[in-house]
Amino acid sequence: MSESIALIIGGSGAAGHSAIEAIREYSSKTGQTWKVYSTTSGESQVQGSDKTIPLIKLEEPEQAVSNIQKFLNNENAKVDLLIYTPARGNLGYPVSETPDEDIIATAKFCLDPMLDLEKKLNPRITVGYSAYYYLPHLLTFYGSLAFIKKKMEEWAVQKPDSRKIIRAGTFFSQSVRGITIILQRLAKSSPHPDLQKLMEEQKTSGKKFGDFFIDYIQQKENQSFGKNFPSIPYRITEPKDLKIALLKILEGEKAPIVSLVGDWIWTEDKLPEMPEYLKKR
């Protein structure tokens, strides 16, 4: 059996680590040999990868893609599986208030390199990561990222045989900690009623903002999806759940979107209902 090659963009993060674990578990189950390449913005080796592609700065997307291509060409590596994990953008304000320039700037980091790599590397499967951007509690503060996640899902639905999305509930990560810090700072002086209400709820709770925010997210996720899983109790999503979702994809899942919140997992083949302002941009 020939060796398969996976390329993980952002291998050092929680999603990247879960992807490496999924590939190793799948390899062990099937006997198929996989070689894993992972990128990192720094110079340290990505744990669990066979090869690390260092100093990939997605802030300069064209250069980043070129450097990845050069590395793979030198290795004579043909990518079968491309996994794109990066997520960073302007947030801390309602999605409805997002200016066009923020969407463009966020796409340059979170979306455009994935599309460019898919085109140039032509992998058998490309996997991106999404969130529940369309739910009211995230529409309050998710800003430009909501539009990018929506665009990623549209991209996947267009070619479900070769494009997949893992849409995951909130889990503890560096990104979530960063969002919490940004949101707390911006919400204090925000004129937006929804954000003011969020800060009032936090004060009433008596909790530190970070603790309140995670509790708030869990409450909203349970309210949104708990009724669909009456026999399975809610729990917050963990990186191991992302591994399970990727295993479903590796095992041949046909649907373009694998959604999960904790122990709850389901598939979708179309985008969810969302406000008109999200649909139009």
Side-chain angles (χ1 to χ4, degrees), residues 11 14 27 79 90 100 110 123 128 141 147 153 167 171 235 238 255:
S27 176
V79 173
N90 292 330
D100 288 343
C110 299
F141 62 83
F147 291 93
E153 293 185 2
R167 185 197 285 148
F171 58 94
R235 68 167 173 82
E238 300 174 13

Side-chain angles (χ1 to χ4, degrees), residues 12-233:
S12 299
H17 279 305
S18 76
I20 294 169
E21 291 175 358
I23 293 166
R24 297 307 184 201
E25 186 170 324
Y26 181 71
S27 176
S28 178
K29 284 180 179 179
T30 62
Q32 183 178 356
T33 303
W34 281 83
K35 189 170 187 177
V36 178
Y37 291 81
S38 293
T39 73
T40 179
S41 59
E43 297 185 69
S44 299
Q45 296 297 299
V46 175
Q47 186 176 1
S49 291
D50 296 296
K51 291 285 184 77
T52 297
I53 308 177
L55 301 172
I56 298 301
K57 309 289 188 182
L58 292 173
E59 295 85 356
E60 301 170 0
E62 292 183 6
Q63 186 64 46
V65 170
S66 176
N67 288 343
I68 291 168
Q69 277 191 288
K70 288 176 184 176
F71 192 100
L72 294 172
N73 288 340
N74 289 337
E75 295 275 316
N76 196 28
K78 171 67 175 73
V79 173
D80 300 285
L81 173 66
L82 169 62
I83 298 175
Y84 194 87
T85 72
R88 190 178 73 193
N90 292 330
L91 43 73
Y93 54 81
V95 173
S96 60
E97 303 282 332
T98 304
D100 288 343
E101 56 266 28
D102 280 8
I103 298 174
I104 293 168
T106 301
K108 285 183 178 179
F109 188 89
C110 299
L111 177 64
D112 295 347
M114 181 184 74
L115 302 182
D116 199 11
L117 285 166
E118 181 196 33
K119 181 179 179 180
K120 290 175 177 174
L121 302 179
N122 193 29
R124 183 172 59 85
I125 298 176
T126 302
V127 181
Y129 290 77
S130 186
Y132 295 95
Y133 58 89
Y134 56 88
L135 293 179
H137 68 282
L138 286 186
L139 290 173
T140 301
F141 62 83
Y142 211 48
S144 60
L145 276 172
F147 291 93
I148 301 308
K149 299 303 184 185
K150 190 259 298 188
K151 290 176 185 295
M152 290 177 73
E153 293 185 2
E154 289 174 333
W155 160 87
V157 168
Q158 289 169 2
K159 291 186 178 181
D161 289 344
S162 61
R163 297 171 177 173
K164 306 293 181 183
I165 289 291
I166 295 174
R167 185 197 285 148
T170 300
F171 58 94
F172 295 109
S173 67
Q174 285 296 114
S175 294
V176 171
R177 280 190 281 271
I179 288 171
T180 304
I181 293 169
I182 293 169
L183 183 59
Q184 182 180 17
R185 185 177 72 244
L186 296 178
K188 286 180 179 178
S189 57
S190 174
H192 301 296
D194 288 340
L195 288 175
Q196 290 176 351
K197 182 180 177 183
L198 187 66
M199 294 305 296
E200 289 171 6
E201 289 182 29
Q202 182 256 323
K203 290 177 182 177
T204 302
S205 73
K207 299 175 182 176
K208 292 181 179 178
F209 188 84
D211 296 333
F212 162 79
F213 183 66
I214 290 297
D215 289 347
Y216 171 80
I217 291 292
Q218 292 184 80
Q219 177 191 2
K220 296 300 183 182
E221 288 182 341
N222 198 6
Q223 288 175 355
S224 298
F225 302 113
K227 58 184 177 294
N228 300 327
F229 301 90
S231 62
I232 306 174

